[in-house]
Amino acid sequence: MPYEVTFIPGDGTGPELAEATRRVLEATGVEFSWDEQPAGEDVYREEGNPFPERTLESIKRTKVGIKGPTTTPVGSGFRSINVQLRTELDLYACIRPSKAYERVRTRFPETDIVIVRENTEDLYAGIEFEKGSEDNAKLREFLGGLGAPIREDAGISIKPISVFGTERIVEAAFDYAESNGRGRVTAAHKANIMKFSDGLFLEKARQVAERHPEIEFEDRIIDNLCNQLVSRPEEYDVIVLPNLYGDIVSDLGAGMIGGLGLAPGANIGTEAAMFEATHGSAPKYKGLNKVNPTALMLSGVLMLRHLGEFAAADRMEGAIAATIAKGEKVTYDLKPTRDDPTAVGTSEFADAVIEEMNK
Ligand code: NAD
């Protein structure tokens, strides 16, 4: 039985990247039945909605989607599609591996980490009180009564971190470690300062870790983690973090492996999982067959592992790594200089990966 997968080409350079990825996924021999659905600026222009209901319904049905990047229409009043997806499908775990492949220019060639970021809570929960608003005044009055005065000219954002949210994200990190042969999980926090939010995160993370004695567990204060990641990246494996730290450290990880064109991602929930690159739609390169499809292809590798197709995933990742290591049929961003005339296009890079896989 082929796997039914919702296929969202997206817009900008999205369709080119998505097509290249689809071809490589099919070349693994795993069978897919693609349910192609629109999202982004193009469908917004045609239908006035960048994220049609039929696209959401498809993901709810297939439970697995792969998505090219989408542009957030400026001034449309629509929420970002990615935020909508996370909220509607409760995609609470954002998984972003950062692995430095051979021959990619990076100062951190030993990097091979996986960031597991909580997606729903923390300062991103959207609980905010604008400076000068009535609700802000009420909140300040209430807090003043508790002996916690806040200046009158302050804007306020609330940072909720729950037992429920922490347990499920830390479980997701251990699950990932177990099913992907990883040996250690590190929880990052600032529990020494934020005792009741990050403190709770750390306490619950330790309890979850006790249920997984075969995986090593440790914790790091977030500032120390950042310092150590750039001095001793080889000491880190799976890292689980609350939302804000996870956002920042994910980008740090992408930088450490040579840039956004190489950074894959997955958003996983109880009901569905969505696989997509970390980068955006790079609209200035639209239709030029130019940008690097590696990040979306590696998101496809994550999808294969999510589906339990480990051998196909290893083959596909190996072929991508070999193509990059040879350095010949690669896109401009992987050449020594960006104007290198030997750079190939998105589609030819996919051909080279397929050729590697068929060897
Ligand atoms: P971007 O990631 O699209 O592009 C920034 C620059 O990074 C590009 O100009 C290009 O030089 C480089 N780049 C990005 N992807 C590349 C690739 N695959 N290969 C080679 N170079 C690459 O960021 P942006 O310009 O800030 O955002 C454009 C649009 O994308 C915005 O509307 C934004 O909201 C949206 N966006 C979407 C997603 C998503 O769909 N997941 C994520 C981030 C941003």
Side-chain angles (χ1 to χ4, degrees):
M1 272 284 279
Y3 294 102
E4 208 187 354
V5 172
T6 302
F7 179 77
I8 305 174
D11 61 48
T13 55
E16 302 156 50
L17 299 169
E19 193 48 39
T21 301
R22 168 153 71 176
R23 286 203 290 124
V24 175
L25 280 166
E26 285 176 349
T28 63
V30 174
E31 283 186 34
F32 295 98
S33 156
W34 306 105
D35 183 16
E36 185 165 333
Q37 295 290 346
E41 205 170 45
D42 299 343
V43 67
Y44 169 67
R45 278 208 203 96
E46 285 158 25
E47 300 180 17
N49 180 357
F51 190 51
E53 190 61 26
R54 62 184 183 279
T55 303
L56 181 64
E57 286 310 315
S58 168
I59 306 161
K60 283 185 177 163
R61 188 172 48 78
T62 64
K63 305 194 184 311
V64 185
I66 185 154
K67 174 181 168 295
T70 44
T71 307
T72 306
V74 176
S76 67
F78 280 103
R79 278 193 303 165
S80 135
I81 290 161
N82 299 308
V83 173
Q84 272 190 68
L85 266 169
R86 274 176 223 161
T87 322
E88 298 267 1
L89 298 167
D90 193 21
L91 303 177
Y92 64 87
C94 178
I95 298 187
R96 290 198 181 161
S98 285
K99 179 169 172 177
Y101 290 99
E102 193 190 328
R103 210 187 165 108
V104 172
R105 265 169 301 142
T106 164
R107 294 173 193 207
F108 310 99
E110 298 91 6
T111 310
D112 183 5
I113 57 177
V114 180
I115 308 296
V116 179
R117 165 189 173 190
E118 204 285 328
N119 249 347
T120 66
E121 303 197 316
D122 198 351
L123 284 163
Y124 286 60
I127 312 170
E128 303 214 274
F129 298 86
E130 191 180 359
K131 169 181 80 73
S133 69
E134 207 177 300
D135 285 347
N136 178 304
K138 278 191 215 154
L139 181 61
R140 281 187 298 99
E141 191 186 331
F142 173 71
L143 291 171
L146 295 179
I150 291 185
R151 287 196 183 94
E152 208 179 318
D153 58 356
I156 304 170
S157 302
I158 303 279
K159 171 174 166 133
I161 291 195
S162 70
V163 171
F164 174 81
T166 303
E167 282 184 346
R168 71 177 180 171
I169 194 66
V170 180
E171 278 293 353
F174 277 98
D175 268 7
Y176 185 92
E178 280 160 6
S179 41
N180 289 279
R182 300 257 172 183
R184 184 188 302 160
V185 171
T186 304
H189 58 85
K190 190 87 186 172
N192 50 331
I193 304 293
M194 283 161 278
K195 296 188 171 55
F196 302 134
S197 49
D198 285 28
L200 180 149
F201 185 85
L202 176 58
E203 183 196 335
K204 291 296 147 195
R206 284 183 174 142
Q207 287 171 5
V208 172
E210 281 170 17
R211 304 204 279 265
H212 301 271
E214 68 290 355
I215 305 275
E216 213 181 306
F217 174 77
E218 58 183 12
D219 73 275
R220 289 283 182 280
I221 292 177
I222 184 66
D223 35 352
N224 185 26
L225 175 84
C226 291
N227 180 318
Q228 294 197 357
L229 270 179
V230 294
S231 47
R232 301 199 294 275
E234 67 281 4
E235 289 183 10
Y236 288 88
D237 195 342
V238 176
I239 307 172
V240 61
L241 312 95
N243 208 337
L244 174 63
Y245 309 144
D247 191 10
I248 298 167
V249 175
S250 295
D251 264 39
L252 176 67
M256 289 170 69
I257 58 160
L260 281 175
L262 297 160
N267 285 299
I268 296 181
T270 39
E271 297 300 319
M274 179 59 68
F275 298 84
E276 64 177 331
T278 301
H279 62 74
S281 55
K284 69 178 174 191
Y285 296 125
K286 177 181 176 169
L288 300 182
N289 186 38
K290 182 174 171 81
V291 292
N292 185 355
T294 300
L296 192 55
M297 285 184 184
L298 290 173
S299 307
V301 169
L302 289 177
M303 182 177 85
L304 286 172
R305 295 208 171 104
H306 177 78
L307 294 170
E309 295 287 348
F310 291 97
D314 290 349
R315 266 203 320 282
M316 182 164 158
E317 185 180 1
I320 295 167
T323 308
I324 295 174
K326 287 186 177 162
E328 287 162 19
K329 295 174 185 166
V330 294
T331 46
Y332 74 100
D333 55 313
L334 296 176
K335 290 286 184 182
T337 57
R338 296 207 153 208
D339 54 359
D340 190 320
T342 66
V344 303
T346 311
S347 169
E348 291 70 32
F349 180 87
D351 294 341
V353 173
I354 292 169
E355 209 179 293
E356 277 299 329
M357 211 155 33
N358 288 338
K359 271 186 184 163

